[in-house]
Amino acid sequence: MSVRTIYEQAELNDIKNNTPDRVLVMMITAWWHQQSEEFIPNYKDLAKEFRAMNFIKTDIAASPGIAATYEISRLPSFLFFKDKNELRGDRIEGLDEATLRCTLERLDKL
């Protein structure tokens, strides 16, 4: 799977509505946040590995509404959705690759 970049809440809603049975992984980043930008190639690799999930990303500079809606306070942040709802207990704020991988492995079994 490739990683789709989204810019609007409507795009996110469309993805959630069209694939409610799949886990949706959203990376929230910023073009000026070096750690986030450096992790994007790894994120794309994870998307190839976990093919049963949909991976998207958004940049808070281009998508301030999404960042505000989800009250993003740290970058990068990773949000997970299933059946159109955020799995709030699985949210990851800040880059923690080990936790991200463990979360993806667990959610891959849903």
Side-chain angles (χ1 to χ4, degrees):
M1 296 290 291
S2 62
V3 175
R4 179 176 167 185
T5 301
I6 64 165
Y7 300 96
E8 302 288 337
Q9 183 69 42
E11 291 175 280
L12 175 58
N13 293 341
D14 285 345
I15 294 168
K16 290 191 302 185
N17 289 333
N18 290 330
T19 58
D21 56 323
R22 295 182 75 168
V23 172
L24 173 63
V25 184
M26 179 167 65
M27 178 182 182
I28 300 176
T29 185
W31 65 266
W32 46 262
H33 189 260
Q34 183 177 353
Q35 186 181 41
S36 295
E37 290 298 297
E38 289 173 353
F39 185 70
I40 289 173
N42 300 52
Y43 186 68
K44 290 178 179 180
D45 289 342
L46 290 169
K48 291 175 187 172
E49 182 178 345
F50 293 93
R51 294 183 177 274
M53 299 179 187
N54 288 336
F55 284 73
I56 61 175
K57 69 180 180 71
T58 191
D59 186 303
I60 61 170
S63 313
I66 292 174
T69 296
Y70 293 101
E71 301 175 345
I72 301 305
S73 59
R74 292 187 62 200
L75 295 174
S77 286
F78 300 90
L79 282 59
F80 305 89
F81 301 86
K82 175 81 172 166
D83 298 322
K84 303 179 189 177
N85 298 306
E86 183 184 354
L87 303 172
R88 290 196 59 84
D90 292 309
R91 180 185 284 218
I92 301 170
E93 295 182 338
L95 184 57
D96 182 340
E97 293 185 57
T99 299
L100 178 58
R101 175 166 284 286
C102 287
T103 301
L104 292 171
E105 289 172 352
R106 184 174 44 75
L107 294 177
D108 195 37
K109 297 173 183 165
L110 291 182

